[in-house]
Amino acid sequence: MPSPDSVQESALTSPRSKITPERAQELYTAVLDLLRESGYESLTMEGVASRTRCGKSTLYRQWGSKPELVVAALHGTRRMLLSHIDTGTLAGDLREAARAIGEGSGRDTPLMHALSHAALQSPELLCALREALILPEIAAIDTMVRRAQARGEIAADLPGAEYVAAQLLGVMRARPLLEGRYADAAYLSRFVEKAIIPGLGLTADTPEP
């Protein structure tokens, strides 16, 4: 069975294809916007066609089905939100990560909620969701922690170090369920200052870079 990336690539390079990479990005953006607005169950190929003024037959010819189109949209819009952060201290890195994640929470959280149930029924969709929204951020936060260990800021065997990504990304998902509000930049910044930084043995008054 071809991978989502190979499906996307073949669709865009097929001799039958009339969709440019730029047009594909417009379609992917529309798919994710519709998911945020109405959820996965309400998403239809007809709705995507109407939103983008694209023929429904073109969508089916390129992607075959709604799940394949959603997978392609997730892969095609994958981004690295935190990979550029390197302030020189772990506290500074986490503060910047909190701001970046918080600024995108109004966009990313609804998308994750919209896809969560469907993803549990589809391993391919779950894999695409994790690769697009979750794994890049986990990798970036883990890199921040490893840099801090290499600098001697925190001990190499500090028990809580491996859970930093789970804390920061988990609370972003949990706050809407617990409090009915997104975990915005202000909330995540407080969470970093009051929960994560002290838990790592760093001082809360570590100056920002």
Side-chain angles (χ1 to χ4, degrees):
M1 181 177 180
S3 68
D5 288 331
S6 65
V7 170
Q8 179 186 347
E9 182 178 356
S10 64
L12 296 179
T13 59
S14 166
R16 296 181 301 167
S17 177
K18 296 181 181 180
I19 297 180
T20 64
E22 292 77 18
R23 179 58 167 155
Q25 286 298 313
E26 293 177 5
L27 292 167
Y28 295 158
T29 298
V31 168
L32 300 187
D33 285 344
L34 287 166
L35 284 168
R36 294 183 186 101
E37 293 168 13
S38 304
Y40 183 81
E41 296 301 324
S42 297
L43 180 72
T44 65
M45 299 294 263
E46 291 83 356
V48 175
S50 176
R51 174 69 65 94
T52 61
R53 298 188 178 184
C54 179
K56 184 173 67 173
S57 60
T58 299
L59 296 178
Y60 278 109
R61 183 169 62 249
Q62 297 297 330
W63 291 286
S65 67
K66 179 175 81 170
E68 289 183 52
L69 176 55
V70 171
V71 167
L74 289 168
H75 280 287
T77 56
R78 189 177 350 184
R79 70 199 191 288
M80 303 299 288
L81 187 65
L82 308 180
S83 60
H84 68 285
I85 295 175
D86 185 359
T87 66
T89 69
L90 180 54
D93 289 349
L94 293 175
R95 288 171 178 139
E96 289 299 317
R99 293 190 186 104
I101 295 171
E103 287 170 0
S105 65
R107 177 185 64 248
D108 292 340
T109 305
L111 182 59
M112 292 182 68
H113 285 172
L115 289 173
S116 292
H117 178 72
L120 293 177
Q121 314 302 317
S122 168
E124 186 177 35
L125 185 56
L126 178 60
C127 181
L129 179 61
R130 294 184 73 242
E131 289 181 351
L133 294 180
I134 301 171
L135 293 181
E137 317 302 22
I138 290 176
I141 295 170
D142 286 347
T143 296
M144 297 173 192
V145 172
R146 286 194 297 271
R147 284 199 304 256
Q149 290 170 325
R151 289 192 296 257
E153 286 183 75
I154 59 174
D157 58 352
L158 184 68
E162 65 177 298
Y163 301 111
V164 174
Q167 288 178 283
L168 190 50
L169 299 177
V171 74
M172 181 191 75
R173 177 73 183 277
R175 195 191 191 201
L177 299 176
L178 297 175
E179 301 181 18
R181 291 182 289 176
Y182 292 135
D184 58 15
Y187 178 85
L188 289 178
S189 294
R190 292 195 303 271
F191 183 78
V192 164
E193 296 293 342
K194 304 301 183 182
I196 298 182
I197 288 178
L200 293 172
L202 301 173
T203 57
D205 59 351
T206 301
E208 297 197 37

